[in-house]
Amino acid sequence: MKKFNFRKVLDGLTASSPGGSAGGGGAGGGSAHPGGTAGAAGTPREEIQETLTSDYFQICKTVRHGFPYLPTALAFDPVQKILAIGTRTGAIRILGRPGVDCYCQHESGAAVLQLQFLINEGALVSACADDTLHLWNLRQKRPAILHSLKFNRERITYCHLPFQSKWLYVGTERGNTHIVNIESFILSGYVIMWNKAIELSTKTHPGPVVHLSDSPRDEGKLLIGYENGTVVFWDLRSKRADLRAYYDEAIHSVAWHHEGKQFMCSHSDGSLTLWNLKSPNRPFQTTIPHGKIQRDGKKPESCKPILKVEYKTCKNSEPFVIFSGGLSYDKACRRPSLTIMHGKAITVLEMDHPIVDFLTLCETPYPNEFQEPYAVVVLLEKDLIVVDLTQSNFPIFENPYPIDIHESPVTCTEYFADCPPDLIPVLYSVGAKHKKQGYSNKEWPISGGAWNLGAQTYPEIIITGHADGSVKFWDASAITLQMLYKLKTSKVFEKQKPGEGKATAEIVEEDPFAVQMMYWCPESRIFCVAGVSAYVVVYRFSKHEVNTEIASLEVRLQYEVEDIITPEPEIIPQFPDASSQLPSLKSLSGSTNTVACEGMMKDSIPCLSVKTRPVRMPPGYQADLVIQLVWVDGEPPQQITSLAVNSAYGLVAFGNCNGLAVVDFMQKTVLLSMGTLELYGSSDPYQRQPRSPRKSKQFAAGLTELSDSPVSLELERCKSPTSVKGSRKLSLPTDLKTDLDHVNGHCTSPTSQSCSSGKRLSSADVSKANRRGPGRPPFRKAQSAACMEISLPVTTEENRENSFSRSRSSSVSSIDRDSKEAITALYFMESFARKNDSAVSPCLWVGTGLGMVLILSLNLPASDDLRQSEPVMVSPSGTVLTLKGAVLTFACLDCTGTLIHPPYEVWRDPHSADDGEKTRKRKLVMHSPSSSQDMGDHQFAVICSEKQAKVFSLPSQTCLYVHNITETSFLLQADVVTLCNSVCLACFCANGHIMTLSLPSLRPLLDINYLPVTDMRIARTFCFSNEGQALYLSSPTEIQRLTYSQEMCDNLQDMLGDLFTPVETPEAQNRGFLKGLFGGSGQAFDREELFGEATAGKASRSLAQHIPGSGGIEGVRGAAGGVIGDLTRARIALDERGQKLGELDERTASMMASAEAFSKHAHEVMLKYKDKKWYQF
């Protein structure tokens, strides 16, 4: 364990002036080194022992939640009761009882065409679009491919594996049928060629094989369906067609009656035909279930194709005929439907999304018994539903899986590991009241596998924000996911009526309520949301329903001013009131016309209307205050880029590319609204003063005269944000200029310009671009993180792809280098605001897009009694620290290196029936570390930007450590997290690297190139949490969780569910003497004899190539390096050894048998010729 010495540098020495500390000043010094010892003889502090080493870190994916993205195939094991779903991206999701959810991926990424379980064998066959068959071993927690077979000359179209058979039938696009041995994954020499199957007189090719199945009454007969309408009943023994049936419409699917005498086909004209094997010349029944019957007795009109039909029999009732498609063409707007025909009753179940596939779940796995269907699993493009067939109204089962994450596109995420344990039951109790009625009362039928809690016990909560304004809280403990509570933030606003004067179309074309950022304090249960239409809503949690009006504030944020407005000097305070100022936030998306609306310029009006009448709020999160930014001089408000709340102080702060607002949500007043430059006062390190010639009436003395001339300040604030003449030029250090000059055209910062060519824009160009809608991204769907697919180059600093701000925001930190400086990070803390402070006080840390850190002092009323009446004062402390790149995150450590939790108010119900003094009194927790008596001594401030991390000693403001994290890329997300009772800085970089740094010394502990940022969704939704947990949206419908903790990687195998559990295969029903005598084939069918190499010979080597799989190695990979990994490897080795020993045993037995036979023959020969002379031979 390495020890680090920290020396307290004496206050007042010049070593810590802004930008002058070791490695500071935005130039970003060299390697990480303690700079606190420079230039001062310090007094030694106690040594801080950093317990974390690189051995504590390892990255692996843990579990994937949500609906499989772009599903293509479905399979069910009726004995194991597990379901498999294949997707267009080559993924397979295997689902069992809640908690059993496994994700595996084909390396090729080819779409999955079909899935087939080896029923009750713990194995699965997948057929992919690259014409490869794969055999997956499901007897391990992480399935792996045992064998693959790649077809070289033919394209796979359909597969069929009979129950308890080891021979897989494979149909191809050329119309041929091949047979594969499942155990060895070798092609048999037995092939059913299309030209042998059809009649010789037929002149046309029958098309691809669309169906294969063996007869339920005779396994030696194979039914082959060809696309053009030909059905061939092939006798496998005699290698000829027993019968052929022809229909003049294309076939989509075929289904058997369980007795094996009839089969049903579905066709492209919406018809169902029923055929009898005894009279194959024509179908004995043809129906078009949804076709209109013509008056003149003609055939009913054609309908849409019936894509799949299932024909299931019942012992005590009429058979079920279930099919998808087949609707009439005249109802263009009808939704995709599943039709259930039971006797004479026809039920049409309309679906919300197109049907991909469906399966009927039956009581028996044997195809020659009464099927007794009890449910239908319907796989839709964006949903999975299960219909209960045992009740006449066909209700659906309540789905226990978290597959509705994408109900509305996810726009942001937050992850809280190790949160207070009482939150999950509390949220569940308020969420349970919103449960829907009308579900089936039966148990969820997909109940296979086994799952237990494992060793991990701390509670975890994931919060997702959505494009429709909803927020979902999920219980994510022990690598499961279950919805707890849903909050609809749009309910605080009036619904938009079409043609309303204040149309929001100019802000957001769709989804004006999309959630952009969230901030949650689990201890006080305060929840805050920033929306895309430039508003912030503060929520408090209550267990009681309440009927009340929603308080609202309007804030005007404006950056620069051009025209003189004659204000009254005496009413402008030195720190201006927010009713008149807040920089204009251009929205993320929207129409290009931002100036005039019906000849009127919009000014001082918000984007949305808050409900004015009293609103009924159910138990749960209830809106306490709505803060809206308003239009300024025809410019819409800019998007919010940072958000922070503190329950102990009763304050909420938010910023954007124009400035900062601080609001007191207890007194419902605005404390501060200022442009970013005004926050510096005379401390602006860049000394940004107007460089271009201005009109004489404009104030040109910079911001140094803030206190002397409040009128001038107001003049500054009144200039139009798109002013051409008033554009300021910033004097930036050269390295920052190169950073900011070349911004990729995809940049979604509201203030960045498209300049992928790298040329510099003139200020006039900039202002034109601003009017046009400043660099707005294609945010049609409320900048849904799930919808945006953007290619991100991550090579050079010139191509800064999308300079994102903290992933909490869906916004980005690149800033308009000509004028604006975005607020990118905010943090409330008990800290040292100024250099010579002797005690901590409430502060607000502010980080900007130029790497500047400002500290604002908060002067709160001394006692709790005065908090509701006395004003809170916010003032700049004058402290300015610098980093390279936009600031992402802050944290404070005490003098022992322990993370200091910001102060919070202990939750109390605001609407409790108990009005006693105890309930009304606020209980504040100021310091969480045990060493609270030492708090006044000194602190370490940890600040991370998109380029580097720095640790400052407070109050001396000396830069102790600096670490340049990346030169050629930039960070998307950084968080100070706890792990193994210690603390570290976790970073996710745009080039795909995940890194951790020790604190406070910033030693690199982990750096792995893990996750290429292929689109905006990953960048926008990636978040770290405590205990080595992280997540991101891997697709628009799925959350991928991962861990960077070695301990969790080691324990992962114990936490995952088992897909395979030992279950007895049900016995076949006794068919009875007469049925056995007359009801089918008298002789047993030996597939081995027919398809084996001895009889059928070898298949052509060029037809298909066998590829051995990685077997159990994949399963080991997740637990590599740990004891579990060794045990897993040993177990797999034992299994393999057992299999080999079994094979050896069989071979030995066969060798002994052949030796005995040889010995017998030799003895016979010897006896025959024993007495013969040589000339008698």
Side-chain angles (χ1 to χ4, degrees):
M1 197 181 293
K2 206 167 178 184
K3 296 183 180 179
F4 292 89
N5 247 334
F6 291 99
R7 301 177 183 279
K8 186 178 178 187
V9 179
L10 298 173
D11 293 348
L13 290 177
T14 57
S16 60
S17 59
S21 55
S31 59
H33 62 277
T37 55
T43 52
R45 301 288 311 164
E46 69 271 23
E47 293 173 349
I48 291 185
Q49 296 185 342
E50 292 184 1
T51 56
L52 290 181
T53 63
S54 57
D55 297 339
Y56 283 81
F57 296 94
Q58 169 73 34
I59 289 189
C60 69
K61 290 179 181 177
T62 53
V63 69
R64 185 173 290 212
H65 303 296
F67 182 75
Y69 184 53
L70 302 174
T72 52
L74 185 64
F76 183 70
D77 185 327
V79 180
Q80 285 289 321
K81 295 199 183 306
I82 56 174
L83 187 81
I85 298 172
T87 75
R88 202 182 301 167
T89 58
I92 298 176
R93 282 284 285 286
I94 303 167
L95 302 166
R97 67 176 67 243
V100 177
D101 183 344
C102 176
Y103 164 82
C104 30
Q105 174 76 42
H106 292 95
E107 282 185 15
S108 66
V112 178
L113 297 179
Q114 202 179 347
L115 295 170
Q116 288 262 295
F117 277 104
L118 277 65
I119 293 172
N120 206 24
E121 295 288 335
L124 174 73
V125 174
S126 60
C128 294
D130 61 353
D131 306 305
T132 309
L133 296 171
H134 304 274
L135 178 67
W136 293 84
N137 175 15
L138 306 185
R139 293 186 178 227
Q140 54 194 54
K141 294 194 173 186
R142 292 212 153 168
I145 291 173
L146 293 170
H147 300 282
S148 298
L149 188 67
K150 166 89 170 139
F151 280 74
N152 296 323
R153 296 189 307 208
E154 300 208 46
R155 309 221 63 183
I156 298 170
T157 54
Y158 195 87
C159 299
H160 169 63
L161 179 68
F163 179 44
Q164 293 180 325
S165 162
K166 65 174 186 177
W167 296 93
L168 174 76
Y169 301 114
V170 181
T172 69
E173 197 171 51
R174 289 188 184 176
N176 302 325
T177 302
H178 299 276
I179 299 167
V180 178
N181 184 314
I182 285 296
E183 290 174 352
S184 62
F185 241 56
I186 292 172
L187 213 54
S188 164
Y190 192 116
V191 184
I192 305 169
M193 303 299 286
W194 67 271
N195 53 351
K196 299 277 176 60
I198 64 168
E199 281 186 299
L200 293 174
S201 58
T202 310
K203 292 179 181 175
T204 55
H205 189 279
V209 175
V210 294
H211 178 81
L212 292 166
S213 60
D214 52 340
S215 164
R217 69 195 297 222
D218 184 355
E219 295 172 338
K221 304 286 177 68
L222 184 69
L223 192 74
I224 309 170
Y226 295 96
E227 191 178 66
N228 75 345
T230 303
V231 177
V232 175
F233 196 46
W234 184 263
D235 187 330
L236 291 162
R237 296 183 196 89
S238 61
K239 300 186 183 179
R240 62 183 178 82
D242 266 10
L243 61 88
R244 299 178 181 91
Y246 299 97
Y247 193 70
D248 55 4
E249 290 290 342
I251 291 176
H252 283 282
S253 73
V254 185
W256 278 103
H257 186 282
H258 82 275
E259 289 177 352
K261 296 174 185 175
Q262 299 173 2
F263 60 88
M264 183 180 282
C265 301
S266 73
H267 300 278
S268 55
D269 64 344
S271 64
L272 294 172
T273 54
L274 196 57
W275 301 77
N276 196 315
L277 292 182
K278 289 180 180 174
S279 53
N281 296 332
R282 60 188 179 81
F284 77 86
Q285 185 183 320
T286 303
T287 54
I288 301 184
H290 294 301
K292 287 183 182 172
I293 296 165
Q294 309 290 355
R295 287 182 184 172
D296 51 6
K298 287 183 186 172
K299 180 182 165 186
E301 65 176 14
S302 295
C303 292
K304 294 175 185 174
I306 293 178
L307 301 176
K308 183 174 181 179
V309 65
E310 296 217 335
Y311 187 19
K312 300 297 180 186
T313 51
C314 306
K315 205 166 191 175
N316 302 317
S317 71
E318 297 281 327
F320 280 90
V321 176
I322 302 167
F323 62 87
S324 61
L327 296 177
S328 171
Y329 278 107
D330 65 351
K331 294 181 178 171
C333 56
R334 271 190 77 169
R335 295 194 291 181
S337 298
L338 185 80
T339 305
I340 301 172
M341 297 167 67
H342 188 218
K344 291 183 179 177
I346 298 182
T347 307
V348 179
L349 304 177
E350 291 194 335
M351 305 293 167
D352 291 334
H353 309 284
I355 296 172
V356 174
D357 198 358
F358 73 90
L359 284 174
T360 310
L361 309 189
C362 301
E363 297 288 356
T364 176
Y366 294 94
N368 57 359
E369 297 176 357
F370 280 106
Q371 297 297 285
E372 304 296 350
Y374 59 90
V376 184
V377 179
V378 189
L379 176 64
L380 308 176
E381 275 187 7
K382 295 186 177 178
D383 204 356
L384 177 76
I385 64 167
V386 183
V387 181
D388 185 353
L389 292 179
T390 60
Q391 297 179 45
S392 57
N393 60 338
F394 303 130
I396 64 169
F397 290 86
E398 186 169 10
N399 196 320
Y401 308 134
I403 59 169
D404 57 346
I405 292 170
H406 62 289
E407 188 178 18
S408 169
V410 177
T411 50
C412 55
T413 55
E414 290 288 347
Y415 190 2
F416 297 86
D418 206 9
C419 52
D422 59 333
L423 279 172
I424 289 174
V426 161
L427 286 167
Y428 184 78
S429 67
V430 293
K433 291 167 185 160
H434 306 304
K435 296 273 180 191
K436 293 179 192 168
Q437 303 301 313
Y439 288 112
S440 169
N441 52 12
K442 295 256 173 70
E443 288 285 313
W444 179 250
I446 304 161
S447 56
W451 179 77
N452 56 14
L453 270 169
Q456 183 186 324
T457 51
Y458 52 83
E460 298 171 71
I461 289 178
I462 291 171
I463 309 177
T464 53
H466 299 264
D468 64 354
S470 60
V471 173
K472 292 179 181 177
F473 291 76
W474 306 82
D475 175 7
S477 310
I479 70 170
T480 61
L481 196 69
Q482 182 184 11
M483 182 139 102
L484 295 171
Y485 173 67
K486 181 177 177 180
L487 170 67
K488 293 180 179 174
T489 63
S490 59
K491 289 204 166 174
V492 302
F493 299 105
E494 300 285 1
K495 286 182 182 170
Q496 294 299 117
K497 293 172 189 167
E500 210 173 286
K502 188 172 54 181
T504 55
E506 299 188 15
I507 299 290
V508 181
E509 290 175 14
E510 287 182 61
D511 304 317
F513 308 112
V515 177
Q516 195 180 316
M517 301 177 79
M518 302 177 292
Y519 194 101
W520 190 42
C521 175
E523 290 81 10
S524 65
R525 301 186 191 172
I526 293 274
F527 183 62
C528 200
V529 166
V532 73
S533 298
Y535 61 82
V536 171
V537 188
V538 181
Y539 288 90
R540 288 179 183 269
F541 187 86
S542 174
K543 293 180 181 176
H544 302 277
E545 184 176 308
V546 66
N547 211 3
T548 182
E549 288 188 9
I550 300 168
S552 68
L553 289 172
E554 290 180 4
V555 177
R556 185 181 173 96
L557 263 180
Q558 190 174 343
Y559 196 80
E560 291 189 277
V561 193
E562 184 174 31
D563 303 318
I564 284 196
I565 295 172
T566 43
E568 316 256 338
E570 63 274 8
I571 62 163
I572 301 169
Q574 178 183 346
F575 234 71
D577 191 325
S579 53
S580 59
Q581 300 97 348
L582 264 209
S584 117
L585 279 160
K586 263 168 203 95
S587 87
L588 256 174
S589 94
S591 90
T592 51
N593 170 24
T594 54
V595 187
C597 177
E598 295 169 11
M600 248 180 80
M601 185 175 276
K602 293 191 180 183
D603 193 51
S604 302
I605 55 170
C607 303
L608 301 169
S609 305
V610 178
K611 288 179 179 172
T612 50
R613 61 187 183 283
V615 177
R616 185 189 75 82
M617 298 184 191
Y621 274 105
Q622 299 167 349
D624 190 49
L625 176 65
V626 180
I627 309 153
Q628 292 193 90
L629 295 179
V630 295
W631 287 66
V632 178
D633 300 334
E635 287 293 327
Q638 293 274 31
Q639 157 198 18
I640 290 165
T641 55
S642 53
L643 175 68
V645 188
N646 189 282
S647 54
Y649 303 159
L651 302 180
V652 56
F654 56 94
N656 58 10
C657 63
N658 287 340
L660 171 72
V662 182
V663 173
D664 181 341
F665 63 80
M666 293 178 71
Q667 295 186 26
K668 313 281 191 286
T669 56
V670 182
L671 304 177
L672 166 77
S673 64
M674 297 189 86
T676 316
L677 297 185
E678 294 150 19
L679 293 171
Y680 288 104
S682 56
S683 313
D684 184 357
Y686 294 137
Q687 290 304 309
R688 282 166 279 209
Q689 293 169 5
R691 303 250 189 275
S692 54
R694 303 202 173 206
K695 297 178 203 170
S696 57
K697 65 181 179 183
Q698 285 179 325
F699 173 56
L703 291 170
T704 49
E705 299 172 31
L706 177 68
S707 52
D708 304 332
S709 177
V711 184
S712 313
L713 176 63
E714 179 65 10
L715 297 187
E716 269 303 291
R717 209 176 276 116
C718 294
K719 293 194 194 82
S720 158
T722 55
S723 149
V724 180
K725 298 176 186 133
S727 232
R728 296 187 177 210
K729 285 278 185 191
L730 307 189
S731 160
L732 305 185
T734 50
D735 61 334
L736 265 178
K737 276 185 183 160
T738 52
D739 271 2
L740 300 169
D741 281 357
H742 310 296
V743 181
N744 184 299
H746 288 308
C747 177
T748 60
S749 163
T751 53
S752 65
Q753 313 306 330
S754 293
C755 48
S756 47
S757 61
K759 67 172 186 165
R760 202 172 179 85
L761 296 179
S762 71
S763 65
D765 292 337
V766 169
S767 83
K768 277 179 200 157
N770 272 353
R771 267 201 197 91
R772 191 177 63 244
R776 293 195 179 129
F779 186 65
R780 297 233 176 271
K781 272 274 183 193
Q783 197 156 352
S784 148
C787 295
M788 302 200 55
E789 304 261 335
I790 294 179
S791 66
L792 301 181
V794 283
T795 47
T796 62
E797 202 152 300
E798 278 73 29
N799 272 351
R800 281 278 301 261
E801 68 255 39
N802 310 4
S803 203
F804 312 96
S805 82
R806 60 197 295 147
S807 84
R808 291 210 166 118
S809 99
S810 41
S811 67
V812 197
S813 67
S814 298
I815 42 129
D816 176 348
R817 66 203 173 285
D818 281 300
S819 59
K820 298 183 180 179
E821 183 177 2
I823 306 290
T824 56
L826 295 165
Y827 186 65
F828 286 103
M829 193 61 223
E830 294 279 300
S831 186
F832 299 93
R834 295 172 185 83
K835 225 179 205 181
N836 299 317
D837 284 1
S838 56
V840 293
S841 60
C843 296
L844 172 62
W845 289 67
V846 180
T848 78
L850 287 184
M852 312 305 292
V853 176
L854 309 161
I855 305 178
L856 303 186
S857 289
L858 309 174
N859 192 352
L860 297 159
S863 69
D864 191 45
D865 305 334
L866 301 172
R867 179 63 186 85
Q868 292 289 357
S869 53
E870 292 287 313
V872 176
M873 304 299 290
V874 184
S875 57
S877 64
T879 298
V880 179
L881 308 172
T882 61
L883 284 87
K884 182 178 174 183
V887 178
L888 296 180
T889 194
F890 299 104
C892 274
L893 311 180
D894 66 12
C895 52
T896 65
T898 309
L899 184 67
I900 306 172
H901 195 293
Y904 61 89
E905 177 190 355
V906 176
W907 176 76
R908 61 202 172 101
D909 199 321
H911 305 298
S912 172
D914 177 16
D915 285 335
E917 189 62 35
K918 281 185 182 177
T919 316
R920 286 202 297 270
K921 187 86 174 165
R922 294 172 76 223
K923 183 181 175 186
L924 305 183
V925 176
M926 297 313 277
H927 307 304
S928 51
S930 52
S931 56
S932 53
Q933 66 271 19
D934 301 330
M935 286 289 296
D937 199 358
H938 78 285
Q939 291 177 342
F940 301 110
V942 181
I943 309 172
C944 185
S945 76
E946 59 185 14
K947 289 285 185 183
Q948 65 179 186
K950 286 187 178 182
V951 174
F952 291 90
S953 174
L954 299 180
S956 67
Q957 296 176 15
T958 307
C959 179
L960 296 176
Y961 294 96
V962 60
H963 180 74
N964 290 315
I965 297 169
T966 176
E967 292 295 336
T968 56
S969 187
F970 59 95
L971 294 188
L972 299 168
Q973 175 68 9
D975 272 305
V976 174
V977 291
T978 57
L979 178 71
C980 302
N981 297 317
S982 193
V983 65
C984 65
L985 175 66
C987 308
F988 175 48
C989 193
N991 60 16
H993 284 250
I994 292 177
M995 295 166 271
T996 58
L997 303 173
S998 72
L999 288 177
S1001 68
L1002 299 178
R1003 281 178 304 116
L1005 299 172
L1006 172 80
D1007 185 352
I1008 292 182
N1009 186 0
Y1010 188 70
L1011 180 69
V1013 183
T1014 49
D1015 55 49
M1016 283 281 283
R1017 179 183 55 253
I1018 295 173
R1020 220 169 269 259
T1021 56
F1022 194 99
C1023 51
F1024 291 105
S1025 189
N1026 296 329
E1027 306 305 330
Q1029 303 273 24
L1031 67 79
Y1032 62 94
L1033 239 69
S1034 56
S1035 76
T1037 61
E1038 295 165 289
I1039 288 175
Q1040 177 68 57
R1041 288 164 71 178
L1042 52 102
T1043 181
Y1044 48 97
S1045 153
Q1046 179 69 61
E1047 183 186 7
M1048 187 161 177
C1049 288
D1050 291 345
N1051 296 329
L1052 187 58
Q1053 290 290 319
D1054 294 338
M1055 299 166 70
L1056 295 170
D1058 288 296
L1059 296 172
F1060 179 80
T1061 49
V1063 179
E1064 284 289 321
T1065 303
E1067 286 186 17
Q1069 291 173 7
N1070 188 355
R1071 302 183 67 208
F1073 173 72
L1074 289 173
K1075 263 198 177 166
L1077 198 61
F1078 304 113
S1081 151
Q1083 55 179 317
F1085 175 58
D1086 187 352
R1087 292 188 179 93
E1088 184 68 43
E1089 184 185 334
L1090 201 57
F1091 304 144
E1093 196 176 306
T1095 313
K1098 287 186 177 178
S1100 164
R1101 283 192 179 180
S1102 60
L1103 185 61
Q1105 174 193 356
H1106 177 257
I1107 305 162
S1110 53
I1113 306 303
E1114 281 296 319
V1116 175
R1117 204 172 282 166
V1123 179
I1124 303 291
D1126 296 336
L1127 284 171
T1128 311
R1129 278 190 282 271
R1131 194 182 307 141
I1132 287 164
L1134 277 172
D1135 286 348
E1136 289 172 356
R1137 186 164 173 258
Q1139 285 172 2
K1140 284 172 184 166
L1141 283 171
E1143 289 168 14
L1144 185 65
D1145 201 24
E1146 287 169 16
R1147 282 184 198 154
T1148 309
S1150 68
M1151 282 171 72
M1152 283 175 71
S1154 62
E1156 277 177 27
F1158 180 74
S1159 167
K1160 190 177 170 187
H1161 287 307
H1163 188 67
E1164 285 170 1
V1165 170
M1166 185 269 292
L1167 290 174
K1168 186 177 176 183
Y1169 296 111
K1170 184 171 71 169
D1171 299 326
K1172 291 192 177 185
K1173 304 293 181 189
W1174 62 270
Y1175 51 80
Q1176 291 176 311
F1177 282 102

